[in-house]
Each structure stands twice: as structure tokens, then as C-alpha cells.
Amino acid sequence: SLRSGELKQTGVSAFDRNVLADAAETLGVGRRYHVLHPAWMFAVTRPCLEGRAGMDTLGRDHLRYYKWPAPPYEGEWPLPQQYVCARFYHRPTFPLNNDTVQMATNMIANISKRIPMVLLHSPIEADEHVDMPTKGLLNDRVIRLSDRFEMTPENNLAVILTVLGRAKGFVGTYGGLAQTALRFGVPSVSFYSDFRNTAIAHRMLSHTLAAQTNVPFAVLSLHETGMVQQMLT
């Protein structure tokens, strides 16, 4: 919040209480109700995510590892039955420049020769991430999500999760979508160029979850891709 200087809801604010009271009144649940607030989660996980406690403690005492089911969908499915999702976007760990855009473009083109690709691009700018341009990418094998679904601020996240949860794989920038794919049981390969501006604990937690659920979760530095390619070709 602006007052606390944090983006995450690590405490229950006056704004939260007002929203909860308004929701309770609207739903007619009275004045006595239980609240499941993100602050509960952060109170338990923050020591580990900030590196002040080990992941073993977090997993042993507080976590249970399982895969999420894909969200339900009603109506005619507007995508191929099998596809791989992609989203390359700008963030401090993956700046969009000529080299990264060219790498991502080549990767999407190569994968789409074997299986259709769905780009998880949205017209809704809900955060600081900027999607890679799609000029020259789209064809009958590379589909932009917003061309098949009507996306609004209200359903934006729901549409992305519904499509991602049914994918055969995910490729893109390392971040929240790669971690979400893992939680759906969707194999993923994600990339970064400089890890200094993000939390290593989030990555370690995801690798732990991948090992526990047997879901492939590869996170590669752009400096490693050439070496990996040489070994596999």
C-alpha cells in the first residue's frame, strides 16, 4: 500500500477493513464472519522468502505440495486441443532488446512447427510488465490469446489461468507465469538475463515444488542457452 510502502498485503489495513465490511453488508452475512487475508500467508512464509529461514522449515511445518486443477470452462473451446503457452515480457531480469526479442521469436517459431503456440498477451495492462511485440509472429500456428477471448479487467486473470492450466507446456520470461504453470502441473522453461533484481527464495521454492510434484521446471540464464544448445545438437 502507499502508506506502508509495500506492494504486498502483509497486514490488514483500514482500507481492507472497509472493503470487508462493505462486502459483508452487500452479501448480507452480518457482522460476524471469518476473514482469509494474505497477511496470514506472509506471516508464515516471509522469513523463508527473505532468506532468514530455510525452505526445509517452511515445507515441513506449513506447506503441502499438490497440483492445481485447471479452471472449468463452459462453451465451445476456441483453441486447439493441444498447445504450448508463451509469454515473453520485459522486467528487470529480462529486458526486451534486439537480442532477447530475436531469441524469443526464434524459439516460438521453432516450437510452433511441432505444436501450436498460444501467446498469453492481454490488452489489459495490469502491472509493470510490457509484452514482447507480436509483429510478424502471428499465423495459423501462433495464436494471440486476446484474438480468441474477449478480455476485460474483470476476467483477464481468469482467462489466462484457464488457458495456461490446459497447456502442454509454457515458455517465456522467468516470473509469476512460469511459477503458475508449475503449480498447474504444466512443464515450463523460462529465461532471465540478470537475477540480481528478484528473489532467489521464490526460485528455490519453485524448484522444491517441482521436485515434490515431478513437474519439469527449468530456469535458464541467457548466458547458458548457447552452452545447452551445443550439448544437445
Side-chain angles (χ1 to χ4, degrees):
S1 68
L2 293 176
R3 183 166 297 176
S4 67
E6 294 189 5
L7 293 176
K8 303 186 184 303
Q9 292 174 280
T10 56
V12 182
S13 67
F15 175 80
D16 293 337
R17 294 188 182 92
N18 289 335
V19 169
L20 290 167
D22 183 65
E25 181 179 353
T26 301
L27 296 172
V29 299
R31 295 186 177 183
R32 294 177 62 85
Y33 47 84
H34 295 288
V35 175
L36 183 61
H37 193 277
W40 287 24
M41 175 186 69
F42 287 116
V44 171
T45 61
R46 201 166 187 179
C48 293
L49 298 180
E50 291 180 348
R52 294 185 281 111
M55 288 295 168
D56 289 344
T57 301
L58 181 62
R60 183 178 64 247
D61 297 337
H62 303 291
L63 298 184
R64 299 296 181 268
Y65 301 103
Y66 64 93
K67 300 174 186 176
W68 297 344
Y73 183 81
E74 297 180 0
E76 184 177 353
W77 187 243
L79 294 174
Q81 289 302 308
Q82 294 191 342
Y83 56 88
V84 169
C85 286
R87 188 187 179 209
F88 286 93
Y89 56 89
H90 175 85
R91 60 174 294 174
T93 55
F94 191 89
L96 289 180
N97 54 44
N98 290 337
D99 292 337
T100 55
V101 169
Q102 188 62 55
M103 182 210 75
T105 300
N106 292 342
M107 190 175 301
I108 292 170
N110 289 334
I111 296 174
S112 67
K113 295 175 183 177
R114 299 187 293 275
I115 185 171
M117 298 285 293
V118 177
L119 307 183
L120 298 179
H121 287 215
S122 169
I124 311 301
E125 295 184 3
D127 52 34
E128 74 278 13
H129 300 153
V130 178
D131 287 326
M132 184 184 80
T134 58
K135 183 178 180 180
L137 265 179
L138 303 178
N139 53 54
D140 59 343
R141 303 280 294 179
V142 181
I143 303 163
R144 184 168 52 193
L145 184 64
S146 56
D147 291 338
R148 298 294 179 91
F149 291 85
E150 182 179 354
M151 303 182 72
T152 66
E154 291 77 16
N155 75 0
N156 177 65
L157 182 58
V159 170
I160 291 174
L161 296 184
T162 298
V163 173
L164 180 59
R166 288 166 171 75
K168 294 297 181 181
F170 171 84
V171 60
T173 299
Y174 168 75
L177 275 181
Q179 294 164 345
T180 303
L182 165 64
R183 283 144 181 81
F184 278 126
V186 175
S188 71
V189 181
S190 56
F191 300 88
Y192 68 92
S193 62
D194 186 344
F195 214 86
R196 288 176 294 180
N197 293 310
T198 193
I200 189 67
H202 295 175
R203 178 176 172 182
M204 299 308 298
L205 178 59
S206 292
H207 281 301
T208 300
L209 178 60
Q212 293 283 346
T213 56
N214 199 30
V215 177
F217 180 75
V219 181
L220 299 176
S221 163
L222 294 181
H223 304 295
E224 299 169 343
T225 54
M227 178 182 66
V228 174
Q229 186 175 22
Q230 288 180 6
M231 291 189 295
L232 298 178
T233 57

